Amino acid sequence: MLLVLLGWCFGATVLLYVLYSWLIPTAVQFNGSLALLWHDVIVERALDTLTRSTRPQRLLKAVQKHATRGDPQSVISAIDHFCRHSEWAMNVGDEKGSILDSVVSELNPEKVLELGTYCGYSTVRIARLLPPGARLITLEFNADYAAIARQVIAWAGLEDKVQLVEGASEDWIPRMKEHFGIETFDFVFLDHWKDRYLPDTKLMEDCGLLRKGTVLLADNVICPGVPDYLEYVRNGLFYKSCYFKSHLEYTKAEDGLEKSVFLG
């Protein structure tokens, strides 16, 4: 009887392991909503409880263990490896990150605004490509995320190019000129709360922070999606917009980036 019970326990353990590590992650790869539910709700909460740590804290440990201090590319690679092989995280990711790199390299901006820092992955991607003397202001509402991001940015050796500001975007955007001496931005990367994409874009317009030729690049325009923002930049009179088809970070579900040039 004991052997039978042990056999059942062993079989159940193997089944749960297969479900958790392979079957369910494979099944949700092609559906963005299911992937977000599995990775960003179920798995994250379970691991937070089991490890008594947070996903950003675990990501930081991976950076400190595998990345070289002062080497931004090694920080990016460490985070990508963590997200593909250990634990999914809501960075822009390596595939869309390459598109982000191309836009930044082509534009070569001097004044950059990032809305939504999370753990600093996209901040590092952008900052490492900026020319000498360039300035990147990144806004993060969540204080815990900001604390991790500061350490990731410092590990990459990019503190001199990045100014991380805690607080709500709607509070800080109107204060950019007064507080930071910024007249207009050359490039804006939107990757924060999706319901803030459109209001914050209009707020930047009203505050005069966009000039003719300013480029806005918006992440996650398909998954979770920002239909009101896409309607505005694609069909309005103020932007010339194009879509870069890609995939939700570290999955095979469709997502993409929307590049919009402000026409003044």
Side-chain angles (χ1 to χ4, degrees):
M1 185 66 182
L2 179 59
L3 289 176
V4 173
L5 182 59
L6 289 174
W8 275 104
C9 290
F10 177 77
T13 301
V14 171
L15 178 60
L16 287 172
Y17 177 78
V18 171
L19 284 171
Y20 172 79
S21 63
W22 180 76
L23 190 58
I24 295 177
T26 301
V28 304
Q29 274 285 303
F30 296 91
N31 187 300
S33 298
L34 290 178
L36 290 173
L37 174 63
W38 172 250
H39 293 294
D40 215 24
V41 179
I42 298 172
V43 172
E44 181 173 13
R45 290 179 182 176
L47 289 176
D48 286 357
T49 301
L50 289 171
T51 65
R52 295 185 179 180
S53 65
T54 66
R55 175 174 287 168
Q57 289 171 341
R58 296 188 290 273
L59 184 148
L60 175 62
K61 286 184 178 179
V63 168
Q64 294 170 335
K65 182 176 180 180
H66 298 290
T68 303
R69 275 188 179 273
D71 182 354
Q73 187 56 52
S74 75
V75 170
I76 292 168
S77 297
I79 295 175
D80 283 333
H81 187 274
F82 173 81
C83 294
R84 284 202 175 275
H85 301 286
S86 297
E87 188 177 348
W88 184 94
M90 58 179 180
N91 312 301
V92 66
D94 46 4
E95 186 180 357
K96 287 184 292 180
S98 295
I99 300 171
L100 172 61
D101 290 352
S102 297
V103 173
V104 173
S105 296
E106 179 183 4
L107 190 60
N108 199 32
E110 294 186 357
K111 290 172 288 185
V112 178
L113 175 63
E114 179 184 39
L115 300 177
T117 314
Y118 188 44
C119 296
Y121 174 88
S122 54
T123 311
V124 171
R125 288 201 83 112
I126 295 169
R128 83 193 203 285
L129 298 174
L130 297 180
R135 189 177 183 189
L136 166 57
I137 297 174
T138 181
L139 301 184
E140 177 52 55
F141 178 77
N142 186 303
D144 294 331
Y145 293 169
I148 297 296
R150 283 194 177 90
Q151 295 178 74
V152 171
I153 293 164
W155 200 272
L158 294 169
E159 309 101 307
D160 60 329
K161 289 186 176 181
V162 178
Q163 187 163 3
L164 195 161
V165 181
E166 292 181 37
S169 53
E170 61 266 35
D171 294 334
W172 276 106
I173 287 173
R175 301 168 60 189
M176 284 290 163
K177 292 188 177 184
E178 175 188 358
H179 196 84
F180 299 106
I182 296 289
E183 290 300 319
T184 58
F185 287 102
D186 304 313
F187 176 63
V188 180
F189 183 53
L190 296 91
D191 194 16
H192 58 327
W193 294 107
K194 308 315 165 191
D195 60 358
R196 290 301 312 173
Y197 278 30
L198 182 55
D200 285 345
T201 296
K202 291 181 176 180
L203 186 56
M204 287 186 287
E205 293 172 5
D206 293 341
C207 293
L209 292 171
L210 308 181
R211 58 164 177 79
K212 184 177 181 180
T214 295
V215 171
L216 276 61
L217 188 68
D219 188 21
N220 300 126
V221 297
I222 301 300
C223 184
V226 283
D228 58 343
Y229 175 82
L230 291 182
E231 170 69 22
Y232 183 73
V233 296
R234 290 177 177 178
N235 301 320
L237 301 175
F238 304 116
Y239 295 91
K240 181 180 180 181
S241 201
C242 65
Y243 172 62
F244 293 95
K245 184 178 180 180
S246 187
H247 297 94
L248 178 68
E249 40 268 34
Y250 314 111
T251 76
K252 299 184 185 301
E254 184 183 346
D255 192 19
L257 298 162
E258 187 80 7
K259 177 185 175 184
S260 305
V261 182
F262 186 60
L263 302 178

